[in-house]
Every structure is written in structure tokens, then in C-alpha cells.
Amino acid sequence: MRLLYSSRTLEDVIYREELEAHTRGGLKVFHTLTRAQPPGWTGYARRIDAELLREVAFPAADRPHVFVCGSTRFVDAAADGLVALGYGPESIKTERFGATGG
């Protein structure tokens, strides 16, 4: 299983320690920080785009199931990007929520 987790800052990552603990069980977590990155940050530092999805998502030919959760703009960008990579729309489940402000 892979998780692409987009946050404004590292401090905004909810359950970061718990997620990292699951990486020992096979979960692969990719973080992208869109506003500020700590010194020495080696993760991604941008909003989700086609190139980022290409780098972290399973190949579409593997027919993976995908769940995308976030704001409407985020979900649309991620789902549209996956479809552009060859994912079938029926393999992408989405959940949207309103803006958090700030």
C-alpha cells in the first residue's frame, strides 16, 4: 500500500508518528509539503501534479484501487491526474470536504 500525504507543513501532518510506524509493515508513505519545509527536507515540496503522481503511484497497468480524500480542488487534481496516467475512473474512489481556511 502507498500513501501520498499532502500537507502545508510538517507540523500539519496528522498521525505522522503512527504512519511512520506502519512503514515497517509495508506501508510506503510519501509526503509533500506545499508551504514550508524544514531544513534538510528530502520529501516533495509542491502540490500534487502529474509528475508527482507518476513517481509515487502504482502503474495503472497493475489496476490498483485508489482512494483520494481532501478538498474538492485537491481531489479533482489527484483524480484527473490518475486518469491521465491511465487509471480507470471506476478504480478511483473519492471523498471531498470543505476548505479549512487560512
Side-chain angles (χ1 to χ4, degrees):
M1 182 182 310
R2 294 180 184 176
L3 172 65
L4 174 55
Y5 198 140
S6 178
S7 304
R8 292 176 179 157
T9 68
L10 192 58
E11 292 76 27
D12 291 325
V13 178
I14 300 170
Y15 298 115
R16 181 171 37 132
E17 293 168 5
E18 291 86 345
L19 287 170
E20 292 306 318
H22 285 292
T23 61
R24 292 184 289 277
L27 174 66
K28 180 74 174 165
V29 179
F30 300 91
H31 290 280
T32 185
L33 303 178
T34 61
R35 295 235 176 127
Q37 300 78 35
W41 176 251
T42 59
Y44 294 98
R46 64 183 189 265
R47 294 185 181 274
I48 289 178
D49 57 26
E51 183 63 27
L52 184 89
L53 292 171
R54 192 176 296 106
E55 290 179 28
V56 304
F58 287 108
D62 292 352
R63 301 186 54 179
H65 295 279
V66 180
F67 182 74
V68 181
C69 180
S71 67
T72 297
R73 283 180 46 193
F74 175 87
V75 169
D76 289 347
D80 290 347
L82 290 166
V83 169
L85 290 176
Y87 280 69
E90 69 282 354
S91 70
I92 304 168
K93 305 300 179 206
T94 62
E95 182 174 333
R96 292 167 169 82
F97 56 78
T100 58

